[in-house]
């Protein structure tokens, strides 16, 4: 109980407004682990290949997914199906010359050359993919595009300082976004406490208390409608990424994230693939026996099993949750039917039922209870006094249903089982 109280007063679990922490540059990594899943490696990339900053390492087959570039001088130390590891090296003259020869491009000029209309946008998306950017959400078909300017999760604090102090980068990103999106109207959603003008954009003030920052709820706050037609949404970090590419004229090899513990929190611009252990060390945060390591926000991020995991593009935070500050989830703890999760769910679902259906592989029943409408805000698990991993179960059900849909198969369900008298689960709880 004491731990639950600690959690409720822990600032990492509140959506703070008014955080003015600035950004620092992250570490110069000694090693990076880059995600190369599905990529075709560039010619000559193999173990022991020497690389330099912005050297192309791989091409993604999707026209909407960014290609892979080296963030540093290094040597390829390992390659497997999912990852490419680089060890930093001190560059010699030859490597420096190769880095100096990397050609900077005038992204806005190239964007204008792509032309207007759907074909022009397609050409521009291809150009940005070749500069390492994912353009799926940025180029989505819509008439109104909302930029979500709120911190995505409790504990993550980079949105407000980015809006205040990275305006040149965001402005550059906005100019490029206007070329890329078919939307006729772009709206910037900001916390209602913030007074902000941003070029000629319409600025919408929305509630700032979590889960108000979840995309679906931002859309509803801006338009007054649930899932309206013709409305798309992108995150502020997407705009920032576009702006970085315009400013530098180089491929994107970095991301922004908050690194935090109970005592320390800071926002950093970090090189792609930076190891979590190096990042914590740089931020002066120690991981002790029993502490949990989380990638994403502390409320709904994923637990990491080791410090050698890396910062992936779009991971918005890395946190250490100290032992004793937050009661751990109990994979198979029974639901006590207190109803707290039902009361708090912003999607008006029954997370208690959904989690039990998922726990016992009754995924089609979860579908009938509208599991796909779950916003994945994580509040159900946050309030669960039994410490059930409610969100993780719900994600599992969604994943299984997506798999089944893809295979055009109907998953088999055990017969004669009702929630409450289920047999022991065979599923991994993902706790
Ligand atoms: S994560 Fe839980 S509380 Fe949030 S929308 Fe989904 S079921 Fe509801
Ligand atoms: S909050 Fe937890 S214990 Fe209470 S009804 Fe929901 S899942 Fe069950």
């Amino acid at each position: 109980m004491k731990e639950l109280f600690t959690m409720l007063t822990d600032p990492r679990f509140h959506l703070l407004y008014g955080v003015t922490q600035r950004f620092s540059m992250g570490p110069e990594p000694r090693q990076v682990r880059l995600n190369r899943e599905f990529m075709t490696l560039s010619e000559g990339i193999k173990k022991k290949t020497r690389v330099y900053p912005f050297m192309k390492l791989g091409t993604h087959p999707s026209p909407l997914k960014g290609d892979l570039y080296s963030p540093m001088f290094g040597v390829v130390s390992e390659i497997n199906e999912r990852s490419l590891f680089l060890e930093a090296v001190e560059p010699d003259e030859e490597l420096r010359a190769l880095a100096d020869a990397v050609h900077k491009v005038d992204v806005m000029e190239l964007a204008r050359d792509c032309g207007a209309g759907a074909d022009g946008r397609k050409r521009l998306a291809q150009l940005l993919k070749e500069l390492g950017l994912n353009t799926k959400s940025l180029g989505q078909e819509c008439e109104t595009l909302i930029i979500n300017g709120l911190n995505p999760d409790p504990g993550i604090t980079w949105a407000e300082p980015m809006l205040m102090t990275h305006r040149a980068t965001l402005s550059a990103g906005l100019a490029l976004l206007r070329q890329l999106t078919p939307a006729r109207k772009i709206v910037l959603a900001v916390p209602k406490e913030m007074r902000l003008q941003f070029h000629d954009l319409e600025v919408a003030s929305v509630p700032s208390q979590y889960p108000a920052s979840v995309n679906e709820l931002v859309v509803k706050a801006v338009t007054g409608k649930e899932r309206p037609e013709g409305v798309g949404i992108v995150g502020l970090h997407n705009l920032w990424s576009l702006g970085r590419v315009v400013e530098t004229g180089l491929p994107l090899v970095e991301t922004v994230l908050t690194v935090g513990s109970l005592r320390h929190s800071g926002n950093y611009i970090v090189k792609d693939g930076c190891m979590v252990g190096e990042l914590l060390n740089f931020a002066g945060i120690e991981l002790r026996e029993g502490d949990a390591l989380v990638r994403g926000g502390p409320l709904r991020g994923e637990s990491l099993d080791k410090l050698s995991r890396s910062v992936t593009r779009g991971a918005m935070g890395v946190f250490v949750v100290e032992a004793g500050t937050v009661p751990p989830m109990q994979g198979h703890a029974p639901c006590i039917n207190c109803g707290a999760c039902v009361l708090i769910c912003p999607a008006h679902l029954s997370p208690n039922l959904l989690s039990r259906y998922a726990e016992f592989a009754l995924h089609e029943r979860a579908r009938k209870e509208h599991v796909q409408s779950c916003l994945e805000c994580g509040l159900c698990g946050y309030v669960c006094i039994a410490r059930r991993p409610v969100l993780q179960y719900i994600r599992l059900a969604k994943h299984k249903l997506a798999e089944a849909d893809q295979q055009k198969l109907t998953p088999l369900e055990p017969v004669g089982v009702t929630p409450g008298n289920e047999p022991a689960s065979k599923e991994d709880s993902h706790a």
Side-chain angles (χ1 to χ4, degrees):
M1 201 63 190
K2 178 177 156 274
E3 286 176 333
L4 262 183
F5 179 75
T6 311
M7 181 172 163
L8 292 171
T9 55
D10 184 336
R12 288 171 302 184
F13 293 90
H14 290 252
L15 188 63
L16 294 178
Y17 168 70
V19 176
T20 52
Q21 288 164 339
R22 297 201 170 212
F23 284 83
S24 320
M25 292 307 291
E28 281 303 323
R30 282 175 286 126
Q31 193 187 31
V32 297
R33 174 186 185 145
L34 300 166
N35 180 3
R36 59 139 306 195
E37 234 174 339
F38 309 119
M39 302 249 185
T40 304
L41 293 182
S42 303
E43 207 181 326
I45 298 297
K46 55 184 191 295
K47 223 169 155 180
K48 297 194 179 161
T49 302
R50 297 189 320 146
V51 301
Y52 49 87
F54 309 108
M55 176 178 172
K56 188 163 182 178
L57 303 177
T59 303
H60 200 286
S62 164
L64 304 174
K65 296 265 186 164
D67 295 338
L68 186 65
Y69 290 84
S70 169
M72 64 183 195
F73 287 108
V75 60
V76 178
S77 57
E78 191 186 331
I79 302 177
N80 61 36
E81 286 282 297
R82 302 189 62 181
S83 307
L84 188 148
F85 295 78
L86 302 177
E87 300 272 357
V89 295
E90 197 53 47
D92 57 16
E93 263 182 41
E94 186 193 8
L95 217 48
R96 271 194 200 285
L98 286 167
D100 290 343
V102 171
H103 182 55
K104 286 191 185 181
V105 293
D106 184 333
V107 178
M108 288 311 299
E109 193 181 315
L110 291 175
R112 281 189 287 274
D113 289 348
C114 286
D119 284 347
R121 290 196 295 274
K122 210 166 156 189
R123 282 191 287 272
L124 178 55
Q126 177 64 28
L127 168 76
L128 297 177
K129 166 209 170 44
E130 287 165 18
L131 286 167
L133 284 159
N134 296 336
T135 56
K136 189 173 175 196
S137 60
L138 293 161
Q140 61 193 289
E141 282 301 322
C142 58
E143 291 195 357
T144 300
L145 184 65
I146 300 170
I147 300 166
N148 183 350
L150 283 81
N151 280 311
D153 276 43
I156 290 176
T157 56
W158 47 253
E160 287 102 353
M162 185 184 276
L163 281 167
M164 304 304 288
T165 63
H166 284 225
R167 289 182 72 106
T169 309
L170 295 177
S171 299
L174 180 62
L176 189 53
L177 180 62
R178 288 190 198 278
Q179 303 267 330
L180 187 62
T181 177
R184 277 181 283 177
K185 181 171 158 189
I186 302 179
V187 180
L188 173 64
V190 299
K192 65 178 171 14
E193 296 84 351
M194 199 170 209
R195 297 281 162 260
L196 188 95
Q197 286 195 324
F198 197 79
H199 300 276
D200 56 348
L201 279 192
E202 181 180 325
V203 175
S205 298
V206 302
S208 54
Q209 188 65 37
Y210 191 77
S213 59
V214 172
N215 276 347
E216 288 86 343
L217 298 179
V218 172
V219 169
K220 188 175 174 198
V222 172
T223 64
K225 294 180 191 153
E226 269 177 28
R227 301 178 197 274
E229 295 256 317
V231 178
I233 186 161
V234 293
L236 192 64
H237 69 287
N238 293 122
L239 192 64
W240 181 87
S241 300
L242 282 178
R244 285 298 276 182
V245 166
V246 175
E247 280 181 337
T248 61
L250 291 164
L252 188 70
V253 292
E254 59 200 359
T255 192
V256 290
L257 76 175
T258 302
V259 183
S261 66
L262 190 56
R263 279 170 208 86
H264 170 84
S265 177
N267 298 313
Y268 298 90
I269 297 174
V270 175
K271 296 268 169 70
D272 274 353
C274 183
M275 300 287 190
V276 166
E278 256 190 84
L279 193 52
L280 292 181
N281 202 21
F282 183 80
I285 297 173
E286 198 182 338
L287 183 75
R288 298 207 174 102
E289 181 79 26
D291 294 349
L293 185 58
V294 181
R295 183 165 57 194
L299 187 62
R300 55 180 183 156
E302 55 170 335
S303 312
L304 298 180
D305 52 353
K306 45 190 170 190
L307 289 163
S308 58
R309 298 289 175 203
S310 62
V311 171
T312 46
R313 190 84 60 80
M316 308 205 181
V318 169
F319 288 83
V320 167
V321 180
E322 294 81 354
T325 56
V326 176
M329 294 286 180
Q330 307 286 339
H332 297 294
C335 169
I336 58 169
N337 278 324
C338 68
C341 57
V342 181
L343 285 177
I344 205 164
C345 175
H348 310 297
L349 300 173
S350 300
N352 51 347
L353 282 183
L354 295 176
S355 66
R356 275 182 279 176
Y357 288 147
E359 185 177 5
F360 297 101
L362 302 168
H363 303 309
E364 284 300 326
R365 292 199 199 177
R367 192 200 298 270
K368 286 192 188 114
E369 285 290 329
H370 310 288
V371 70
Q372 266 114 340
S373 300
C374 167
L375 311 174
E376 300 193 18
C377 69
L379 286 180
C380 44
Y382 177 62
V383 297
C384 179
I385 199 151
R387 303 305 294 140
R388 284 172 58 74
V390 189
L391 172 61
Q392 286 79 357
Y393 276 134
I394 287 173
R395 282 179 174 158
L396 176 65
K398 284 171 128 181
H399 175 72
K400 292 286 179 189
L401 287 169
E403 264 183 0
D405 288 346
Q406 207 171 11
Q407 294 166 7
K408 302 247 185 300
L409 289 174
T410 306
L412 290 175
E413 292 191 349
V415 181
V417 179
T418 51
N421 71 345
E422 305 90 341
S425 169
K426 299 240 179 344
E427 298 251 31
D428 181 356
S429 73
H430 288 208

